[in-house]
Amino acid sequence: MGRGLNRLSAIAVRSAAAGKHADGGGLWLHKRLDGGAQWFFRFTVHGRRREMGLGAATDVSLREAREAADRGRAVVRQSLDPIKERERERREAARTLHYLKDIALDAFESRKAELKGDGKAGRWFTPLELHVLPKLGSVPVADIDQKDIRDTLAPIWHVKAETAQKALSRLGLCLKHAAALGLDVDLQATEKARALLGQQRHKPENIPAMPWGEVPGFYASLNEGTVTHLALRLLILTGVRSGPLRFIREDQIAGDVWTIPGEAMKGRKDRTPDFRVPLTGAALAIIEQARPLARGGYLLPSQRKGVISDMTMGRFMERAGLEARPHGFRSSLRDWIAEATETPHDVAETVLGHTVGGAVERAYRRTDFLDQRRALMERWAQHVTKSNGTAHEERGDDGR
């Protein structure tokens, strides 16, 4: 043993006073005032003096600390930095320990803040969970290549084209997340897989919509006062997407205006303004009917827990023998605006919550056309509830 090494004993470690105590060869014990103690290795490499933590004295014995210091000195003799070498070794170990399922979950956790409702609906993670992880979840992420991805997604590439695209996109984000963690992955693997999979044959189909002339008859049939009937009536009267409607809360309504948080709007980002929906007299009456059924602050709760689901409304229409689906009422409203009114394009698109114009135009336009939309939606409510008579009267005396 070299002179000056191994100055401490096990008893000295336990009884040492607060302060720093040298064992020799760069190994130190730091005893804190609260009684805790930490080992560290002090060294100089490339002209820099550095300290590397070796663990708490309660977890690392004196013998183990000396062995760690021996390894550190050996690394320094090679003109290498023990801290950087330890990090490199950890990355190498992680290569075999980080499976895709672990990376996917970690990536999901990292992205939750930018997802609607913190991703609780599961739409971000579901394509991976259903179509990728069953086959590739237990594969080390560094071993995944384009052929693995192609073989995994090929069964759904044409028959579930949109889902396959989402799964491929999410997988690409997982690979980027792995690279950010320091893992050796092929960031081009998803694009290479896309080339191997080829052009998709699937053509997206529009959601079936009810002709606007038939909407009043369907609306009249929703007369039982159940959550499903009330939800569909309110969906028709407001023209919003079913997501914000299902999560409508009492505290979002002030007078005759319902304010939908910006993050709840489809395709919207954190800085998007909230969206104001004018509530007609008919819509306010539906909300009043829903209040006794409210639970947990939500006006349209499900029978068990949470809020009414998209599936509930869709299945109701399916059981009624209708081809149309709930989302299609937005198309019914838009067609009515185009065919039965002379509403300016910007107002008509804003009714549906669509983004109108480029970024510069939007920056200078401060209005959301609330008053114009309120008048238009009152006319729509009159048509839907048949409170103004015939379709001819709907257009007004001046043909509008």
Side-chain angles (χ1 to χ4, degrees):
M1 279 182 282
R3 186 177 176 183
L5 292 176
N6 301 342
R7 301 177 192 173
L8 299 174
S9 65
I11 295 176
V13 170
R14 289 194 298 271
S15 61
K20 295 181 179 179
H21 306 272
D23 185 58
L27 177 61
W28 289 77
L29 175 71
H30 179 204
K31 197 70 172 284
R32 300 191 304 272
L33 289 173
D34 62 5
Q38 187 85 14
W39 294 109
F40 68 90
F41 174 56
R42 180 179 290 169
F43 61 93
T44 301
V45 65
H46 306 312
R48 294 177 64 198
R49 180 173 167 174
R50 306 196 69 188
E51 293 181 353
M52 179 172 71
L54 301 179
T58 53
D59 301 325
V60 179
S61 68
L62 174 60
R63 180 178 59 81
E64 290 169 332
R66 286 171 176 168
E67 290 172 351
D70 286 341
R71 291 193 295 271
R73 287 190 291 270
V75 171
V76 171
R77 285 196 294 272
Q78 300 176 56
S79 295
L80 297 174
D81 186 331
I83 295 176
K84 292 184 177 179
E85 282 299 294
R86 182 169 66 181
E87 291 174 351
R88 183 188 63 77
E89 290 171 0
R90 285 176 177 172
R91 287 196 298 271
E92 284 296 315
R95 184 182 184 278
T96 59
L97 293 176
H98 281 77
Y99 300 113
L100 177 61
K101 59 185 178 182
D102 302 318
I103 293 296
L105 285 170
D106 197 48
F108 178 50
E109 288 294 326
S110 298
R111 299 183 71 86
K112 273 186 177 181
E114 61 189 78
L115 299 175
K116 185 165 66 176
D118 285 340
K120 290 179 182 177
R123 293 180 181 177
W124 193 92
F125 196 71
T126 298
L128 290 171
E129 188 174 36
L130 294 181
H131 303 290
V132 176
L133 297 184
K135 293 182 180 179
L136 297 180
S138 297
V139 176
V141 69
D143 292 343
I144 294 175
D145 61 21
Q146 63 270 24
K147 289 182 286 186
D148 296 322
I149 300 171
R150 176 199 62 187
D151 294 344
T152 298
L153 294 180
I156 64 168
W157 187 246
H158 297 293
V159 296
K160 294 183 178 179
E162 186 177 352
T163 300
Q165 288 282 3
K166 288 180 180 178
L168 188 63
S169 173
R170 307 287 196 274
L171 182 53
L173 292 172
C174 289
L175 294 180
K176 288 181 181 179
H177 189 78
L181 289 172
L183 302 178
D184 183 17
V185 297
D186 182 2
L187 291 175
Q188 301 300 317
T190 52
E191 289 307 309
K192 294 174 186 175
R194 191 187 300 276
L196 293 177
L197 287 162
Q199 186 69 33
Q200 290 178 315
R201 292 191 297 270
H202 172 79
K203 292 183 180 180
E205 297 180 359
N206 292 328
I207 295 174
M210 184 178 293
W212 60 266
E214 298 177 11
V215 174
F218 177 68
Y219 184 92
S221 72
L222 303 170
N223 56 10
E224 295 180 6
T226 64
V227 171
T228 302
H229 282 206
L230 294 174
L232 284 167
R233 280 195 164 189
L234 197 56
L235 189 72
I236 293 169
L237 290 169
T238 58
V240 301
R241 292 183 173 88
S242 62
L245 179 114
R246 293 187 298 110
F247 286 90
I248 185 172
R249 296 181 61 89
E250 184 79 42
D251 56 17
Q252 294 173 351
I253 300 168
D256 63 352
V257 175
W258 166 28
T259 301
I260 301 176
E263 63 269 17
M265 298 294 289
K266 182 179 180 182
R268 302 295 181 98
K269 300 299 182 183
D270 291 344
R271 290 188 235 172
T272 299
D274 297 341
F275 182 64
R276 297 192 296 173
V277 179
L279 297 171
T280 63
L284 288 170
I286 297 300
I287 290 171
E288 196 61 36
Q289 283 184 265
R291 282 193 168 113
L293 305 175
R295 186 174 63 241
Y298 294 106
L299 286 173
L300 300 171
S302 69
Q303 289 184 349
R304 294 195 179 99
K305 63 178 181 177
V307 299
I308 187 174
S309 71
D310 265 332
M311 205 172 294
T312 299
M313 292 188 286
R315 283 179 177 168
F316 173 83
M317 296 183 70
E318 186 177 359
R319 286 195 299 270
L322 298 170
E323 182 181 350
R325 290 295 175 263
H327 187 80
F329 288 118
R330 287 168 55 80
S331 295
S332 306
L333 170 59
R334 189 63 180 87
D335 288 346
W336 171 82
I337 293 174
E339 296 176 16
T341 77
E342 292 183 0
T343 303
H345 174 78
D346 286 3
V347 177
E349 288 299 292
T350 305
V351 164
L352 300 180
H354 289 165
T355 300
V356 180
V360 174
E361 181 183 349
R362 295 197 302 274
Y364 282 95
R365 186 182 65 237
R366 302 296 180 181
T367 181
D368 63 357
F369 307 109
L370 183 65
D371 290 337
Q372 295 98 314
R373 288 189 289 125
R374 179 181 285 112
L376 182 64
M377 295 309 286
E378 282 289 357
R379 291 178 62 188
W380 170 244
Q382 290 170 6
H383 163 68
V384 167
T385 61
K386 282 298 183 183
S387 61
N388 71 330
T390 65
H392 176 74
E393 290 172 331
E394 152 61 32
R395 294 175 182 265
D397 294 336
D398 59 359
R400 290 182 293 174

